[in-house]
Amino acid sequence: MAADRARREPPEWTGRLLPRSVLGLTALILATALGAAFSGAVLYAYYEYRLDTNEQQAVEYAETFAERLDTAVDIIESEAEEAKEQVRAELEPLEQIAASGETLERLRTEVADSVFFVSTLGEDGSPSVGTAFVVFSDAETSFLLTSYNTVRAATVSPGPEIRVRDGDEELAARLVSRDEGRDLALLSIARGNLERLPWASGDPMIGIGERVFSVSGLGAGGGAVSQGLVGDVSAVGVQHDAPVGPQFQGAPLLNSNGEVVAVSSRTYAPLGFAPDAVWFAPLVTSACDQVLDCPG
């Protein structure tokens, strides 16, 4: 009997965990529900907080995005310019050794409208050619500096006609003045408003080791360019190794900026001996002594 009663009665510890009445059970369920609801409210509040925080951060980022983008672009452009300057600095010594085709074409194009091909006859009746470039121009007439050696035969009367050509246009030229010792001569043509080539300044006008360019008025593209290095600079002229073919005598000898430094010559010999692989070119400013009347 005692054993049957023991099997029917629940253990004492179950009375301490579960309520003995319906009201107690209901209270337990309600407490559990309130706890779950409170936990859900806490979780929802945390979710709303995180959502608001992320949304605010997104708004702030969007508001400052344009400014951040502009700053980034400025930094990139600045660094790109610095990189270009570094590349230019590295390439400069190489350009002193040999100018690129792009540099040669740029110089030829810049001076094309101011450089003319000169053709006449020599003293023996053979063709004599060279180049001339604009040193002064008004509304009606332009004056061109060239090599005296090219137009030597035209200094006597009667002399051969001098013709100058720019592209397909050919004009008669008149010999105005000359400086035989410096191999310089001045021509005039009846064509006005031509652009004068700029002259280099400074003393000396160019440095030893710098590159020079001689631009003729004869070439498939309206001109041709030869290049070389300066070996010496003095009051009598520029010593250089840029090739001077017949069509280049009288051509402007330019620096890398397209400024005239001297006048290309095949016969100028200030030291008393004929040039060989190295040429001498009278400074363009020496034309002001006899050939030109230069202000200042």
Side-chain angles (χ1 to χ4, degrees), residues 81-99:
E81 286 301 319
E82 290 180 2
K84 289 179 181 179
E85 289 299 327
Q86 292 176 359
V87 171
R88 294 190 191 103
E90 294 293 332
L91 289 179
E92 187 173 351
L94 298 178
E95 291 177 350
Q96 289 296 323
I97 299 174

Side-chain angles (χ1 to χ4, degrees), residues 43-225:
L43 290 175
Y44 181 76
Y46 177 73
Y47 169 77
E48 286 289 327
Y49 167 75
R50 294 294 300 171
L51 183 63
D52 290 344
T53 301
N54 292 338
E55 183 177 349
Q56 182 63 29
Q57 290 176 347
V59 170
E60 291 177 355
Y61 182 82
E63 290 176 347
T64 60
F65 178 77
E67 181 179 351
R68 294 170 183 264
L69 179 60
D70 291 341
T71 301
V73 170
D74 290 341
I75 293 174
I76 292 173
E77 291 178 349
S78 175
E79 292 180 348
E81 286 301 319
E82 290 180 2
K84 289 179 181 179
E85 289 299 327
Q86 292 176 359
V87 171
R88 294 190 191 103
E90 294 293 332
L91 289 179
E92 187 173 351
L94 298 178
E95 291 177 350
Q96 289 296 323
I97 299 174
S100 66
E102 181 180 350
T103 298
L104 300 182
E105 179 61 20
R106 173 181 61 82
L107 289 172
R108 187 197 66 79
T109 302
E110 287 178 355
V111 305
D113 294 337
S114 304
V115 175
F116 290 76
F117 175 65
V118 181
S119 61
T120 183
L121 296 176
E123 295 165 323
D124 60 356
S126 62
S128 180
V129 298
T131 294
F133 59 96
V134 179
V135 291
F136 175 76
S137 184
D138 58 25
E140 299 179 353
T141 307
S142 295
F143 294 87
L144 316 176
L145 194 61
T146 189
S147 164
Y148 168 79
N149 187 57
T150 300
V151 298
R152 181 192 301 270
T155 60
V156 298
S157 184
E161 183 182 25
I162 303 172
R163 308 287 294 181
V164 298
R165 186 169 73 235
D166 178 20
D168 296 330
E169 183 180 10
E170 189 172 83
L171 301 168
R174 182 176 67 89
L175 179 61
V176 178
S177 59
R178 61 185 185 270
D179 183 348
E180 182 177 354
R182 291 190 176 93
D183 189 29
L184 298 173
L186 186 67
L187 307 177
S188 67
I189 58 174
R191 181 176 170 187
N193 298 322
L194 294 178
E195 185 176 358
R196 169 187 177 272
L197 291 184
W199 292 8
S201 58
D203 186 18
M205 299 177 71
I206 195 167
I208 296 174
E210 291 190 43
R211 184 150 293 278
V212 287
F213 306 86
S214 183
V215 183
S216 80
L218 180 65
V225 185

